[in-house]
Amino acid sequence: DAKTTQPNSMESNEEEPVHLPCNHSTISGTDYIHWYRQLPSQGPEYVIHGLTSNVNNRMASLAIAEDRKSSTLILHRATLRDAAVYYCILRDNYGQNFVFGPGTRLSVLP
Amino acid sequence: DTGVSQNPRHKITKRGQNVTFRCDPISEHNRLYWYRQTLGQGPEFLTYFQNEAQLEKSRLLSDRFSAERPKGSFSTLEIQRTEQGDSAMYLCASSAIGQNFYNEQFFGPGTRLTVL
């Protein structure tokens, strides 16, 4: 699986937008970009995924660069409950396990 | 259905003892995964089942580790002769092919193992 690079930590103020970057310069044509997050004392949970086009769901938006070598997870209005470790993972659609990196620890300040 | 459940949530054992963890996946999910997570790191894949067949094992899964899913429903992960390096959170996840063939994994809360 191709590797991803994320900042170790980020900070945001409550109710402000948060942009979490992910670099994946060795992404292959069949790799999807997945984002999971892990709240304290819980297992990871799905956030969003995409291939080429930007994606929106009720939790977040995913902006994918035209060359697909980077992407950004956007939380439109951070809440205290969004404080978590966010993982950006590449996997093709036929793959099974995820290869998690250390992720980005997001702190949300009241 | 309340999601993936794992038991016990916490286990403290002495070095050299055997331990067994259980995972109950979401009922209609035919795929089940085990991961291990140490402090400050992301989860690491251990093994994967499709129904009762164990289809993939990581090289992290030493001979002391064994996983089963006898009837394609719940799964157990056993660690024999535990070592202090086995101390970690053990996560279980399940999945089924969903819309557009997306394979979203649903994780349980994990079992935290401490080996003294």
Side-chain angles (χ1 to χ4, degrees), chain A residues 46-60:
Chain A
Y46 169 79
V47 178
I48 201 165
H49 78 287
L51 183 62
T52 56
S53 305
N54 294 345
V55 184
N56 299 296
N57 67 19
R58 63 175 179 81
M59 287 181 72

Side-chain angles (χ1 to χ4, degrees), chain A residues 34 36 38 41-44 46 49 87 91 93 95-98 100-102, chain B residues 31 33 35 37 41-43 45 48 56 91 100-105 107-108:
Chain A
H34 305 258
Y36 276 68
Q38 189 170 19
S41 302
Q42 295 187 28
Y46 169 79
H49 78 287
Y87 299 101
R91 194 193 68 183
N93 212 32
Q96 295 305 325
N97 59 289
F98 286 113
F100 289 82
Chain B
R31 297 176 181 182
Y33 310 80
Y35 290 82
Q37 185 173 27
Q41 302 299 313
F45 170 73
Y48 147 65
E56 191 174 343
L91 292 161
N100 297 324
F101 301 99
Y102 182 64
N103 185 13
E104 176 186 345
Q105 293 185 14
F107 284 80

Side-chain angles (χ1 to χ4, degrees), chain B residues 5 59 86 94:
Chain B
S5 61
R59 60 180 181 275
D86 297 331
S94 70

Side-chain angles (χ1 to χ4, degrees), chain A residues 35-87:
Chain A
W35 284 83
Y36 276 68
R37 73 178 185 180
Q38 189 170 19
L39 304 173
S41 302
Q42 295 187 28
E45 64 178 0
Y46 169 79
V47 178
I48 201 165
H49 78 287
L51 183 62
T52 56
S53 305
N54 294 345
V55 184
N56 299 296
N57 67 19
R58 63 175 179 81
M59 287 181 72
S61 296
L62 177 60
I64 302 172
E66 198 168 331
D67 64 5
R68 300 210 325 125
K69 294 185 176 181
S70 65
S71 60
T72 302
L73 178 71
I74 302 165
L75 306 179
H76 296 284
R77 287 184 66 207
T79 70
L80 297 178
R81 287 175 293 180
D82 291 321
V85 178
Y86 287 78
Y87 299 101

Side-chain angles (χ1 to χ4, degrees), chain A residues 9-13 16-18 20 104-109:
Chain A
S9 62
M10 291 185 64
E11 225 172 57
S12 172
N13 293 319
E16 290 187 356
V18 183
L20 296 163
T104 296
R105 180 172 297 279
L106 175 67
S107 302
V108 180
L109 306 176

